[in-house]
Amino acid sequence: MLLPTLLAQLFAAPQAAPATSQAAPPAAVCPSGTRLVSGIHYENVQRLCTTRQKGHCYSFLPGMLALEPVATPVHVCMDEHEWPNREGKRPDVMMRFVEAEKKCASVGKRLCTEFEWELACEGPETTPWPYGHTFDPNACNSSKDFIPYDEGKLNADERRVREVETWRLYQGEPSGSRPRCASSFGVKDLVGNVEEWVRTSRKEWQYRSSLKGGFWAKPWAHCRGTNDSHGPMFRYYEIGFRCCKDPEEPVTAPEPAPAPATPPEMTPSPSP
């Protein structure tokens, strides 16, 4: 069904709308350190895979794309970097979903939704990776060797034991250290580095918490694909997050009222 759907969309592309002289709406205002992500998100995307390895696709054919409902408008300010949203700072991990919610709320923001995250990653061209249609092992931090972990130490009651094991496993890189790992909206490190909590958008997922983007040892990660297996109290050594905020519309000064018309001067008539 994929090829007929793609061909039907390709040949049924709508004609470009005629240009109008209507003025563009004023730009939204986003806080410092965030990027405006605005467009239409499609719940289902079908692409034509051209390179497959061990059950995962590493290359897609550009231009062969089927976008299927539901279509959701997105208009949001998203943190440029993973929490704590500072370039050159390594992202924090071992964060529960409920902890991430509180962190975002403490700076006047909220967790991003699953749909907002996907649109930010794919950009207006709906590319499978933020940098294009073919996997590049050097573009994002997603191709490190997997290090086996000790489940008991990660879940130990003693905080120090958990931290030692976490830092033994940690392979996250400073935010923004890979310039190619940026979407067309300017959002960095969406794929790889640390896996990110998002608010679930798809009704079929069992929890209100979902994870996006993979991490430093998941080379097949791309903009689609949601890890929906973990509830809000789960935490792990590779899980972080980033925050979003609804944009503020700029305040525009009202149009000045027109000045009252000045009546013409009246010349008195001569006396009879």
Side-chain angles (χ1 to χ4, degrees):
M1 292 297 293
L2 173 58
L3 187 57
T5 303
L6 290 169
L7 291 174
Q9 281 207 349
L10 186 63
F11 290 110
Q15 297 289 329
T20 66
S21 59
Q22 184 176 1
V29 176
C30 283
S32 175
T34 68
R35 296 297 185 111
L36 179 65
V37 175
S38 187
I40 301 297
H41 174 276
Y42 290 89
E43 185 170 3
N44 297 307
V45 172
Q46 294 189 67
R47 300 184 176 96
L48 190 60
C49 180
T50 57
T51 305
R52 186 173 292 276
Q53 299 174 16
K54 298 181 179 179
H56 302 289
C57 190
Y58 286 82
S59 178
F60 296 91
L61 184 65
M64 295 297 284
L65 182 71
L67 303 173
E68 299 176 352
V70 173
T72 303
V74 169
H75 195 61
V76 69
C77 301
M78 182 175 290
D79 280 356
E80 185 175 346
H81 303 289
E82 293 159 324
W83 182 270
N85 193 28
R86 293 202 298 271
E87 186 169 6
K89 169 75 173 176
R90 291 180 184 269
D92 292 347
V93 292
M94 283 293 279
M95 290 284 182
R96 292 186 169 100
F97 179 87
V98 291
E99 293 172 331
E101 284 185 313
K102 291 179 181 179
K103 292 281 188 181
C104 288
S106 72
V107 292
K109 299 177 184 176
R110 58 171 174 78
L111 277 178
C112 307
T113 70
E114 190 181 2
F115 287 174
E116 290 167 345
W117 192 100
E118 287 177 347
L119 181 66
C121 186
E122 294 175 329
E125 302 300 319
T126 321
T127 56
W129 288 273
Y131 49 82
H133 291 84
T134 300
F135 171 69
D136 181 344
N138 298 312
C140 298
N141 179 23
S142 62
S143 299
K144 300 281 181 64
D145 292 334
F146 176 78
I147 301 174
Y149 54 84
D150 187 314
E151 189 82 40
K153 291 181 179 179
L154 285 174
N155 291 315
D157 292 334
E158 187 178 343
R159 179 177 178 179
R160 179 62 180 166
V161 174
R162 297 195 306 268
E163 289 179 345
V164 169
E165 179 66 2
T166 296
W167 283 108
R168 183 183 73 84
L169 301 167
Y170 190 90
Q171 297 184 75
E173 295 178 353
S175 292
S177 58
R178 300 206 184 198
R180 289 199 61 217
C181 196
S183 76
S184 58
F185 290 112
V187 184
K188 313 283 182 62
D189 301 317
L190 286 160
V191 170
N193 223 26
V194 302
E195 201 164 22
E196 299 180 23
W197 283 120
V198 294
R199 292 160 49 192
T200 296
S201 296
R202 292 175 170 86
K203 295 179 181 179
E204 61 266 31
W205 302 152
Q206 58 181 322
Y207 301 115
R208 66 186 182 94
S209 52
S210 298
L211 289 160
K212 299 293 296 184
F215 67 113
W216 54 74
K218 195 174 182 180
W220 58 88
H222 50 84
C223 295
R224 292 280 164 158
T226 299
N227 181 349
D228 64 311
S229 303
H230 304 297
M233 295 303 293
F234 181 77
R235 67 181 174 195
Y236 231 49
Y237 67 92
E238 89 287 5
I239 293 178
F241 65 98
R242 75 178 71 224
C243 303
C244 280
K245 182 179 178 65
D246 296 327
E248 298 177 5
E249 299 302 329
V251 178
T252 55
E255 291 289 333
T262 303
E265 291 189 14
M266 302 297 291
T267 304
S269 301
S271 299

